[in-house]
Amino acid sequence: MRPERRDRFRDLEPLLGKVSHPARYLNHEWGAVEDQPGPFHVCMIYPDVYEVGQPNLGIAILYNELNKVEGISCERSYLPWYDMGDLMREHGVPLLSLEASAPVASFDMVGFTLAHELVASNIVETLDLAGIAIRADERDEEDAIVVAGGPSAWNCEPVSPMFDAVLLGDGEEGIVDMARCVRDCRAQGVSRSDILLALSRVQGVYVPSLYDVVVDETSTEEGYAVPKPGSGVPEVVLKRCLQDFAASDPVPQKMVPYMGIVQDRLAMEVLRGCARGCRFCQAGMTYRPVRERNADQIVEGTLRGLELTGNDEVSLTSLSTTDHSQCALVLNRLTSELNDRGIRVSIPSQRLDSFGVDMAAAVSSGRRGGLTFAPEAGTQRLRDVINKNVTEENLEAAARNAFENGWRRCKLYFMMGLPTETDEDILAITAAAKKVLEIGREVVGRGYKSGVQVSISVAVFVPKAFTPFQWCGQLNTEEVRRRQQLMLHSAKDRDIRISYHDANVSVLEAVLSKLGRRGFDLIMAAWKRGCRFDAWTNEFKFDEWVAAGEEVGIDFGEIAWRDLPLDARLPWDHTSPGISKGFLKREWRRALAGVTTEDCTFATCAGCGVCPSLGVENVIAEGHRG
Amino acid sequence: MANEQQYRLRVRYGKDGRLAYLGHLEVLHTIDSSIRRSRLPFSVGNGFARRMRVQFSQALPVGASSKAEYYDLVLTEPIEPEVALERLRASTPSALAPTKAAYVERRAPALEAWLTRSDWHAELEGTGITAEALDAAIAAVAETGAIHYMRGEKPKVADLTRTLVSWQCAQSGDVVELSLQTRSSNEGALRPAILIDAAFSAAPLAGAQLAALRVTREMQAHEEGARLVNPFDENLVISLT
């Protein structure tokens, strides 16, 4: 039964003095919407601790959109850290929302952000602490409708049994439609099953309980999902897409946390989508088409956002900021406005080919920390396989540009275990780092005092749904470790720092990326064994996950490392970001042949299928790129 | 900036309600963004990090409220103190709202080391606690001259001969009220909760159980011989005209 909605901060307050970082639970931050009249109440949850979840732009966007609607109020909640979670259970205090300190279970609708695969066990923990039935099919008529969305909704099958509905694609319009749908149904006294049916009619909404999983000779053992007979739900649920992205509020993040958070800065989403076509990149495939805001909107929005929040840094975020057709103009205008005020303008990792001299000069007029580039692979051959259309010359030019403009530290992102990778590709990673270091020493000078340093960060490739590499197996752990050692031993210079991911974490990511709905049994078994906060290095318990797999008959190696047949029906085929399977297969074949595919915002249409299937198109502020 | 004018605005603020649970760095962070939102013309340092020129008084323990915290903010224009105060009030969460502002000498000593005296008010609730017993327990602790305690995993010592100035206990219904005067120095400060914890281990409070503790800093001052100098003392405050 749904608990009463009332302020329970008094129950939480005595626990604050006993936990680490009580600021996580204080609420009433500057910019929070404290007035929550409802009468329809939604709670958005990021299933990790406050400082990790609060910077999430997705939740900020949905929070604003919902609170704008007459009659709908939206609050936030995060997963308490172990100490607080234990105390809350001990004292009978359920998970509360931040704004009104009301039990999360008392809300009409509860929404989760699926930020990445490793939040799975935290979602179970969050529902359990809230006192909401973990499985959607165990919820009562009046219980909250639990929904989800976000980047990891592309293959949401392993977590889908926990959700009444999943929103695919851009959320700003879809979440409002979902809330209105539930509100109207509740007002009409409609049954829970009919609410779910009504939700399935909202574009972009996938209702897992209305699909059966079938395993047959056309599929792998993960099966595929088909509409339940008579349900009338679509065979394939197409994502929502916000065509007029530029019309949306450029400053969704208006809240100022009391405590330090992981990205403590104003985030300005300058564009959405990326059509570069990197074949490993799920976001690049699922966020299409490309939609840019124009320079005026970005500059005006940034200045307004800084006034509202008092932040001392702004980050121009997107999947590929330097590709923005007015990037240099925006950077110049912002740095000339903000430099005297001690406000820093930053951009996330840059593409080597689009980081121009003009941009380097503009960014470098603020504080200069490290600069990050993502070549992803060491050799040209492998970069062609993954369609990372950058060259050795691009890397050298970008590095020289950075060092000449005052940077001393350079970070390079690479991946290991990419399809067709050989030892030569691994050795080329450290060779690239040495080359960049050499350029730095040549420009800045040699010796310790020059401060020139190159860091390389090497992640293990995880094959993701809706990418041309979705059929690939992951490189097995033993071979990953051998290649990591090979890389480590090939870089002797103390000014080259190497960091690489724990291979076991990547295995779990691959398993959760590839499993079908039966993956939920694994998640539950792992949670019962104490797994949570799996994205935290010190909290990750791989042995428990493997033991949970043995308990439910899931062999990690078999799932993560095997290739899938190109013609098999896949567990995520009934959801679609608009990209055609034919395009993905073609890209896979081109990858094996080492043939690259151009970005349609610079060249002609590559035929991915997104524009015709969604009725959308690229929007470039300057009219053209390049 | 090389030739900019600099005006040192001293601001008193409180810490109240649930924000008592903010840590010192969190308070600094919150006030930093509040100052930026106020759009006052603050001065920015010339270091690598280009930080705002602002200095705070000593850290208040997490969980303690206060009526008397301070920061000195360097402005580049002589904004009327009342105007500056109003703008800061409008841009700061109400539980950290500024209550007074005035200009002080640019070269006045830094607040953190200069404010050496604090007055505290604590309210204790629980079973077996009386004003007499608490008074006797604190006296017993004071007698030992020092408190040895753990802060996280680090052993610490509070030297009571330097840091504990005086205390008074009073009964108010079921609540025992403690007024406490402490002194800080480079060697350290005495946090009321540490003294109270130690008192509960002393014989006069044997068997007593503390259920709730509310601590408020009432006053901070500079100790100059026998005289306590207020941060807004008339000899410190300067007029713009």
Side-chain angles (χ1 to χ4, degrees):
Chain A
M1 210 177 85
R2 189 140 43 124
E4 180 197 356
R5 178 181 167 82
R6 64 186 174 92
D7 186 340
R8 295 196 58 179
F9 189 76
R10 277 182 168 278
D11 298 327
L12 191 73
E13 194 172 7
L15 313 181
L16 291 173
K18 301 175 181 172
V19 298
S20 58
H21 304 295
R24 287 169 172 155
Y25 315 103
L26 294 183
N27 67 63
H28 295 190
E29 305 98 314
W30 188 264
V33 181
E34 288 183 37
D35 191 21
Q36 294 283 339
F40 189 83
H41 295 278
V42 182
C43 186
M44 298 301 303
I45 300 180
Y46 189 100
D48 207 311
V49 288
Y50 176 89
E51 62 268 35
V52 175
Q54 176 56 28
N56 183 268
L57 205 52
I59 285 198
I61 292 171
L62 305 190
Y63 180 83
N64 294 337
E65 292 301 318
L66 286 166
N67 276 316
K68 269 196 274 186
V69 182
E70 182 69 33
I72 297 178
S73 294
C74 181
E75 305 181 34
R76 300 157 297 143
S77 188
Y78 302 93
L79 180 60
W81 190 244
Y82 293 97
D83 53 357
M84 184 56 118
D86 290 348
L87 279 171
M88 289 169 80
R89 283 193 171 98
E90 194 183 311
H91 290 81
V93 183
L95 182 66
L96 305 177
S97 65
L98 277 187
E99 282 77 359
S101 300
V104 166
S106 72
F107 280 73
D108 297 292
M109 195 165 105
V110 172
F112 280 87
T113 290
L114 302 174
H116 50 79
E117 290 80 9
L118 297 181
V119 295
S121 63
N122 278 8
I123 298 171
V124 184
E125 172 72 358
T126 307
L127 287 169
D128 187 67
L129 195 57
I132 297 174
I134 292 166
R135 292 189 64 98
D137 58 14
E138 289 171 356
R139 287 177 200 139
D140 290 338
E141 270 302 312
E142 291 302 315
D143 283 348
I145 300 289
V146 182
V147 305
S152 204
W154 302 110
N155 193 20
C156 59
E157 280 305 289
V159 291
S160 66
M162 292 187 277
F163 300 118
D164 294 298
V166 178
L167 177 61
L168 305 172
D170 296 333
E172 38 271 269
E173 293 171 340
I175 193 72
V176 174
D177 290 350
M178 290 174 88
R180 283 188 169 135
C181 174
V182 176
R183 178 190 63 182
D184 295 349
C185 286
R186 288 288 195 201
Q188 292 160 23
V190 169
S191 71
R192 190 175 188 91
S193 58
D194 283 343
I195 293 175
L196 300 189
L197 205 54
L199 277 171
S200 75
R201 310 275 190 263
V202 176
Q203 203 234 309
V205 176
Y206 162 51
V207 177
S209 60
L210 297 177
Y211 291 77
D212 286 325
V213 175
V214 177
V215 181
D216 63 22
E217 69 286 354
T218 66
S219 72
T220 67
E221 61 182 316
E222 301 310 320
Y224 58 97
V226 292
K228 279 195 165 146
S231 65
V233 293
E235 279 184 25
V236 176
V237 182
L238 260 182
K239 77 167 183 179
R240 285 294 278 256
C241 181
L242 182 69
Q243 171 65 64
D244 198 0
F245 169 68
S248 64
D249 182 359
V251 193
Q253 190 58 279
K254 298 178 173 69
M255 232 175 278
V256 186
Y258 295 118
M259 69 185 302
I261 55 175
V262 293
Q263 285 151 354
D264 202 355
R265 57 186 85 104
L266 181 73
M268 162 62 62
E269 191 185 13
V270 295
L271 68 97
R272 192 174 292 178
C274 173
R276 286 285 186 173
C278 300
R279 291 174 178 136
F280 55 84
C281 179
Q282 190 181 45
M285 298 293 161
T286 58
Y287 278 95
R288 294 178 182 209
V290 174
R291 291 146 288 167
E292 294 183 353
R293 295 188 193 281
N294 67 41
D296 289 343
Q297 194 189 19
I298 296 168
V299 174
E300 183 276 331
T302 301
L303 299 179
R304 185 161 53 86
L306 291 169
E307 269 178 31
L308 277 172
T309 60
N311 279 107
D312 63 356
E313 181 176 352
V314 57
S315 175
L316 305 181
T317 67
S318 75
L319 292 173
S320 188
T321 298
T322 50
D323 277 344
H324 192 290
S325 59
Q326 298 173 321
C327 186
L329 173 69
V330 167
L331 285 171
N332 277 317
R333 282 177 60 183
L334 283 179
T335 46
S336 67
E337 286 269 359
L338 301 174
N339 199 30
D340 284 349
R341 289 154 60 179
I343 292 173
R344 182 184 176 197
V345 181
S346 63
I347 46 181
S349 71
Q350 282 106 91
R351 277 191 69 91
L352 295 161
D353 48 347
S354 57
F355 183 66
V357 176
D358 43 359
M359 293 183 199
V363 179
S364 67
S365 58
R367 284 182 283 177
R368 284 178 298 260
L371 196 59
T372 306
F373 295 108
E376 312 288 6
T379 60
Q380 194 59 48
R381 184 200 67 79
L382 192 54
R383 283 196 292 271
D384 288 348
V385 168
I386 64 174
N387 205 40
K388 188 85 192 184
N389 291 322
V390 295
T391 62
E392 204 78 24
E393 293 74 39
N394 291 146
L395 174 60
E396 291 175 22
R400 188 171 297 279
N401 186 13
F403 288 121
E404 284 175 350
N405 276 284
W407 275 279
R408 297 292 175 267
R409 284 180 291 124
C410 197
K411 187 170 186 177
L412 304 172
Y413 283 143
F414 289 95
M415 265 187 283
M416 176 177 284
L418 288 161
T420 78
E421 183 181 86
T422 64
D423 284 359
E424 190 190 334
D425 299 302
I426 299 296
L427 295 172
I429 292 175
T430 43
K434 283 179 197 162
K435 181 75 196 168
V436 170
L437 184 66
E438 202 42 51
I439 292 171
R441 286 174 174 165
E442 190 187 309
V443 173
V444 183
R446 287 167 197 281
Y448 180 72
K449 283 188 177 167
S450 76
V452 175
Q453 208 177 78
V454 178
S455 310
I456 51 179
S457 173
V458 187
V460 180
F461 164 67
V462 178
K464 296 278 178 92
F466 298 105
T467 67
F469 291 165
Q470 66 180 353
W471 295 279
C472 300
Q474 190 180 44
L475 189 65
N476 71 65
T477 310
E478 198 181 323
E479 183 59 15
V480 166
R481 295 207 169 114
R482 187 191 68 80
R483 292 187 195 181
Q484 284 173 340
Q485 288 305 312
L486 177 67
M487 180 179 66
L488 280 176
H489 288 105
S490 66
K492 299 289 184 197
D493 199 307
R494 69 176 183 182
D495 290 327
I496 295 178
R497 311 234 161 136
I498 300 180
S499 62
Y500 51 85
H501 284 196
D502 177 353
N504 288 337
V505 175
S506 303
V507 170
L508 180 61
E509 282 180 277
V511 166
L512 292 173
S513 297
K514 292 199 151 200
L515 277 172
R517 204 173 285 187
R518 70 179 179 129
F520 180 66
D521 297 337
L522 169 69
I523 295 165
M524 276 303 285
W527 173 72
K528 284 177 182 164
R529 288 173 164 275
C531 293
R532 56 212 62 169
F533 294 109
D534 295 300
W536 292 66
T537 309
N538 293 340
E539 306 303 325
F540 181 61
K541 303 178 185 84
F542 186 65
D543 292 345
E544 295 298 335
W545 273 97
V546 172
E550 283 164 8
E551 202 177 301
V552 299
I554 290 176
D555 181 300
F556 277 28
E558 199 182 302
I559 302 295
W561 302 335
R562 72 170 170 198
D563 292 332
L564 301 176
L566 268 187
D567 53 358
R569 298 182 75 166
L570 300 171
W572 49 85
D573 278 353
H574 58 298
T575 59
S576 171
I579 208 142
S580 80
K581 204 167 182 180
F583 171 76
L584 297 178
K585 284 183 183 173
R586 194 165 71 235
E587 282 295 290
W588 170 236
R589 293 193 187 99
R590 286 168 76 91
L592 293 180
V595 179
T596 60
T597 300
E598 283 192 293
D599 178 341
C600 65
T601 62
F602 287 87
T604 56
C605 171
C608 72
V610 167
C611 294
S613 64
L614 298 173
V616 294
E617 56 186 13
N618 291 329
V619 179
I620 307 301
E622 193 69 19
H624 61 87
R625 281 177 167 178
Chain B
M1 296 296 130
N3 297 316
E4 79 176 16
Q5 296 294 307
Q6 296 190 335
Y7 306 89
R8 182 167 166 177
L9 184 73
R10 177 157 294 174
V11 179
R12 184 182 69 200
Y13 67 100
K15 187 181 176 209
D16 194 16
R18 59 184 66 176
L19 295 201
Y21 291 96
L22 291 186
H24 187 56
L25 289 178
E26 292 160 350
V27 171
L28 268 52
H29 178 259
T30 302
I31 289 178
D32 183 283
S33 57
S34 302
I35 294 168
R36 288 177 189 276
R37 285 193 295 270
S38 75
R39 305 185 73 187
L40 286 174
F42 58 82
S43 174
V44 176
N46 292 323
F48 175 77
R50 312 259 13 236
R51 291 189 204 289
M52 176 189 298
R53 286 194 167 104
V54 59
Q55 291 181 328
F56 288 80
S57 55
Q58 273 177 27
L60 187 66
V62 175
S65 303
S66 177
K67 294 175 181 169
E69 301 303 296
Y70 297 87
Y71 61 83
D72 283 352
L73 172 66
V74 179
L75 298 180
T76 56
E77 291 171 35
I79 307 287
E80 281 299 324
E82 296 74 23
V83 174
L85 180 65
E86 199 41 54
R87 279 165 68 173
L88 287 168
R89 284 182 71 85
S91 66
T92 308
S94 56
L96 290 173
T99 51
K100 189 169 182 176
Y103 288 97
V104 295
E105 286 291 347
R106 180 75 185 91
R107 307 229 163 263
L111 284 167
E112 189 176 4
W114 185 73
L115 288 173
T116 46
R117 284 284 297 270
S118 290
D119 284 4
W120 306 85
H121 177 78
E123 292 178 355
L124 296 84
E125 285 179 70
T127 51
I129 313 170
T130 62
E132 292 75 26
L134 179 64
D135 187 61
I138 293 176
V141 174
E143 191 75 9
T144 64
I147 301 173
H148 297 264
Y149 63 101
M150 298 294 288
R151 190 165 187 187
E153 294 185 354
K154 281 187 186 166
K156 294 268 182 185
V157 181
D159 177 359
L160 298 179
T161 60
R162 288 168 181 266
T163 57
L164 179 59
V165 178
S166 57
W167 72 94
Q168 304 81 39
C169 300
Q171 195 77 35
S172 174
D174 291 339
V175 178
V176 173
E177 297 188 15
L178 167 67
S179 294
L180 181 66
Q181 292 77 43
T182 62
R183 179 187 294 117
S184 63
S185 67
N186 288 341
E187 279 75 47
L190 174 64
R191 292 192 292 157
I194 297 297
L195 179 67
I196 292 167
D197 265 0
F200 273 78
S201 303
L205 280 174
Q209 290 285 329
L210 183 63
L213 171 67
R214 289 176 292 277
V215 176
T216 306
R217 178 138 68 184
E218 299 277 329
M219 186 278 292
Q220 288 194 80
H222 172 67
E223 191 172 32
E224 203 168 78
R227 180 174 167 250
L228 292 184
V229 184
N230 182 298
F232 289 108
D233 187 274
E234 58 185 13
N235 293 325
L236 294 171
V237 171
I238 55 171
S239 164
L240 289 176
T241 51

